[in-house]
Amino acid sequence: MSEKSPKLRAELDGIPTYKPGKPAAAGGAVAYKLSSNENPYPPLPGVLESAVAAAGRFNRYPDMACTDLVNELAERFGVPVDHIATGTGSVGVAQSLIQSTAGPGDEVVYAWRSFEAYPIITQISGATSVQVPLTDGDVHDLDAMYEAITERTRLIFVCNPNNPTGTAVRRAELERFLDRVPSDILVVLDEAYREFVRDTEVPDGIELYRDRPNVCVLRTFSKAYGLAGLRVGFAVAHERVAAALRKTAVPFGVSQLAQDAAVASLRAEDELMGRVGALVCERDRVHAALLGQGWTVPDTQANFVWMRLGERTADFAAACEKAGVVVRPFVGEGLRVTIGEPEANDLFLHTAEAFFKQM
Ligand SMILES: Cc1ncc(COP(=O)(O)O)c(C=O)c1O
């Protein structure tokens, strides 16, 4: 028998592993998971029923074209049906976007720190990450991102609002940036948290994409719509880009459960957006309370807050966990805390106050 092991692509060496948010401790202790930017509310009854009905048919493959969902989305956003491409979560669509545009020798530009899947999916494709530091205020530095463009740049992510800082870029600066980027580079506006935005100066990417063929918008059902476990996201992009996404997507990647639940969620939007409104109120309450306690916390337009704690990050995360709230530390840098149910937010605020006093 041969001693040799299979040859794997060298690009895979050193790929950072995706760290999922830690689950809440099992075993009866009061524990809240504020580590993955999930929606704390259980599925709405109508949405659950749609998924359960689809479960009765899972001996069959799903509709590969996601016809009902795509039609529903096209109508909702007023875009052509062939401008929508779906995938297994928006991270699946993001991976297809890179596969469609970049390979070895090409560059993918994004802010850092930002969504931790960007370096992983870039490296998998064999392309090179170009990470542009956030400003001191933890906002995208669009001028520096523009300066980072080279002839090898194929794709630029603008995460708006940014994960994990919650900060958002506004219309004037984003439009100025988009107007300057060469039109043969794809700009992806990752709007996973769009529904939580309340700053009216933060533009809706779908308005910006319409007359810009090199702009694509990424959205997800995982956050505001509360379908994280079902894995469905989509892109709105001009025909050539959307067609490339359909070519590179995993066939039958979006289950029928996910498709039907997503359609039901769009139809239950009023109720869902009521819940989002409640989360936004909680976010503003938590943000104001942290400022009141003396913390420096950037303005957030998402369903989480960011605390740049540096060396104290791990200690604070441990204190939160001890108190029964699991948060998301980026050791040595800072901590992201998802807005959850009011009891969870209170518990977190209590811990933050005590920690601040003993610093
Ligand atoms: C900015 C951003 N984009 C995309 C995603 C991917 O979400 P999903 O694959 O669940 O749609 C996330 C998830 O955390 C995110 O924070």
Side-chain angles (χ1 to χ4, degrees), residues 36 57 64 72 97 100 147 158 168 184 248 267 280 285 294 299-300 304 307 343 352:
S36 293
R57 300 186 303 274
M64 190 161 133
E72 193 88 19
L97 281 166
S100 303
E147 294 302 329
V158 177
D184 59 355
T248 50
R267 292 183 184 160
V280 167
R285 178 177 79 88
D299 179 41
T300 171
F304 50 86
M307 302 167 79
E343 317 81 82

Side-chain angles (χ1 to χ4, degrees), residues 6 76 180 207 228 343 357:
R76 186 180 185 290
R180 290 204 293 167
E207 297 313 318
E343 317 81 82
K357 283 186 182 148

Side-chain angles (χ1 to χ4, degrees), residues 18 36-37 88-92 114-115 118 159-163 190-193 218-223 228 231-233 304 336:
Y18 188 101
S36 293
N37 297 344
T88 53
S90 55
V91 74
S114 189
F115 180 35
Y118 298 156
C159 188
N160 206 30
N162 188 45
N163 175 9
D190 184 344
E191 297 188 336
Y193 303 96
L218 268 186
R219 296 276 180 94
T220 182
F221 284 96
S222 297
K223 310 295 179 182
R231 315 304 304 126
V232 52
F304 50 86
R336 189 192 68 200

Side-chain angles (χ1 to χ4, degrees), residues 50-304:
S50 298
V52 168
R57 300 186 303 274
F58 63 39
N59 53 315
R60 304 289 178 192
Y61 284 103
D63 170 8
M64 190 161 133
C66 298
T67 313
D68 290 347
L69 177 57
V70 166
N71 286 339
E72 193 88 19
L73 288 169
E75 195 181 320
R76 186 180 185 290
F77 292 116
V79 303
V81 166
D82 60 8
H83 282 207
I84 308 254
T86 53
T88 53
S90 55
V91 74
V93 187
Q95 183 154 26
S96 290
L97 281 166
I98 297 188
Q99 274 181 326
S100 303
T101 53
D106 298 329
E107 292 175 351
V108 175
V109 175
Y110 52 87
W112 200 249
R113 181 169 280 278
S114 189
F115 180 35
E116 66 175 317
Y118 298 156
I120 300 172
I121 57 182
T122 300
Q123 199 170 329
I124 290 172
S125 78
T128 303
S129 279
V130 177
Q131 301 185 333
V132 179
L134 297 168
T135 64
D136 288 345
D138 284 318
V139 185
H140 275 64
D141 187 341
L142 291 180
D143 285 338
M145 289 177 73
Y146 173 72
E147 294 302 329
I149 292 172
T150 71
E151 62 191 21
R152 292 183 296 281
T153 308
R154 295 289 175 272
L155 184 148
I156 303 173
F157 282 112
V158 177
C159 188
N160 206 30
N162 188 45
N163 175 9
T165 58
T167 50
V169 288
R170 295 177 133 194
R171 185 171 288 108
E173 53 178 327
L174 187 54
E175 282 184 350
R176 185 168 158 268
F177 175 73
L178 295 176
D179 289 345
R180 290 204 293 167
V181 173
S183 59
D184 59 355
I185 298 174
L186 185 67
V187 182
V188 178
L189 304 176
D190 184 344
E191 297 188 336
Y193 303 96
R194 171 68 204 169
E195 295 82 3
F196 299 99
V197 172
R198 290 295 178 272
D199 178 346
T200 53
E201 282 302 305
V202 175
D204 178 336
I206 292 177
E207 297 313 318
L208 299 178
Y209 112 99
R210 290 187 197 278
D211 57 355
R212 292 180 171 88
N214 68 323
V215 173
C216 157
V217 181
L218 268 186
R219 296 276 180 94
T220 182
F221 284 96
S222 297
K223 310 295 179 182
Y225 290 91
L227 303 183
L230 286 179
R231 315 304 304 126
V232 52
F234 62 97
V236 181
H238 287 264
E239 169 52 18
R240 268 189 80 230
V241 174
L245 291 175
R246 285 189 283 272
K247 282 184 197 166
T248 50
V250 173
F252 303 109
V254 183
S255 73
Q256 201 62 50
L257 266 76
Q259 294 181 36
D260 291 359
V263 169
S265 299
L266 289 169
R267 292 183 184 160
E269 207 163 45
D270 286 351
E271 211 170 336
L272 272 172
M273 291 310 134
R275 291 174 164 191
V276 169
L279 286 169
V280 167
C281 287
E282 275 297 287
R283 168 189 81 196
D284 294 346
R285 178 177 79 88
V286 169
H287 186 255
L290 288 171
L291 295 182
Q293 290 174 12
W295 297 96
T296 305
V297 186
D299 179 41
T300 171
Q301 292 295 313
N303 64 337
F304 50 86

